[in-house]
């Protein structure tokens, strides 16, 4: 089991746009992402291993480095796809492709993952040790406002305690994650 630390906002509490796509569009999207990855030298498709040659229905893709018009063309300028990609780019998030087995539909929506994939995914024992080292309640699910977390990380005593718990190496990654957080009142660090 693992626990993932990520940035969330009020927009994550609302249902976001979802677009239905077909298998032909999905295949074209994967080809487009691979070509753009080669052209730009940026990994855009996750996962995209060599053994993943079959048509995958569960993956995330970076869309922020790509023009909205270029992505929209792949989907024949479908309005609901444009809404999803535009929302993902606005929020600096990836898009998620997934299939609903019961209906067979393929969906595209804004992913909870940041565009750069800075989320911190730790084994449960390490995550609990990190929470304990930060002086937080070591529950497997929780949240804390960004400003409160930044203040906590700025405290030298908290950093010493994290070092004593053997989790100081995760603090730099946590700092990176917090750096992408918007400066509004709804931003929070959550883990689950």
């Amino acid at each position: 089991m693992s626990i993932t630390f990520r940035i969330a906002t009020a927009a994550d509490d609302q249902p976001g746009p979802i677009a239905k796509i077909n298998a032909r569009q999905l295949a074209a999207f994967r080809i487009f992402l691979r070509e753009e990855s080669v052209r730009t030298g940026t990994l855009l498709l996750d996962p995209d291993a060599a053994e993943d040659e079959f048509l995958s229905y569960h993956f995330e893709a970076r869309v922020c480095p790509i023009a909205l018009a270029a992505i929209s063309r792949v989907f024949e300028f479908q309005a609901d796809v444009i809404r999803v990609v535009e929302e993902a780019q606005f929020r600096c998030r990836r898009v998620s492709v997934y299939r609903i087995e019961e209906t067979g539909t393929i969906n595209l929506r804004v992913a909870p993952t940041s565009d750069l994939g800075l989320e911190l995914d730790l084994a449960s024992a390490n995550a609990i040790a990190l929470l304990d080292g930060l002086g937080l309640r070591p529950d497997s699910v929780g949240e804390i406002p960004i400003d409160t977390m930044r203040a906590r990380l700025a405290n030298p005593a908290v950093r010493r305690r994290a070092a004593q718990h053997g989790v100081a190496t995760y603090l730099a990654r946590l700092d990176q994650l917090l750096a992408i957080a918007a400066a509004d009142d709804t931003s929070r660090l959550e883990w689950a």
Side-chain angles (χ1 to χ4, degrees), residues 24-30 32 69-77:
R24 183 184 51 75
Q25 291 171 324
L26 175 59
F29 186 45
R30 289 179 67 86
F32 172 77
I71 297 169
S72 300
R73 186 175 354 169
V74 173
F75 295 97
E76 299 146 1
F77 301 97

Side-chain angles (χ1 to χ4, degrees), residues 114-135:
S114 63
D115 178 62
L116 296 174
L118 295 175
E119 287 68 20
L120 183 59
D121 188 24
L122 299 175
S124 293
N126 291 341
I128 298 300
L130 175 61
L131 290 167
D132 199 33
L134 291 170

Side-chain angles (χ1 to χ4, degrees), residues 95-106:
V95 294
S96 176
V97 173
Y98 61 97
R99 182 175 183 192
I100 298 177
E101 298 300 327
E102 296 81 32
T103 61
T105 58
I106 306 167

Side-chain angles (χ1 to χ4, degrees), residues 49-99:
E51 63 272 3
D52 191 27
E53 291 298 320
F54 65 92
L55 185 63
S56 174
Y57 293 109
H58 298 281
F59 65 90
E60 290 186 354
R62 291 186 65 195
V63 293
C64 291
I66 307 169
L68 176 60
I71 297 169
S72 300
R73 186 175 354 169
V74 173
F75 295 97
E76 299 146 1
F77 301 97
Q78 192 174 322
D80 54 348
V81 170
I82 292 171
R83 276 192 296 279
V84 170
V85 174
E86 190 174 49
E87 178 77 11
Q89 289 180 337
F90 177 75
R91 294 179 54 205
C92 296
R93 298 281 180 95
R94 294 179 181 191
V95 294
S96 176
V97 173
Y98 61 97
R99 182 175 183 192

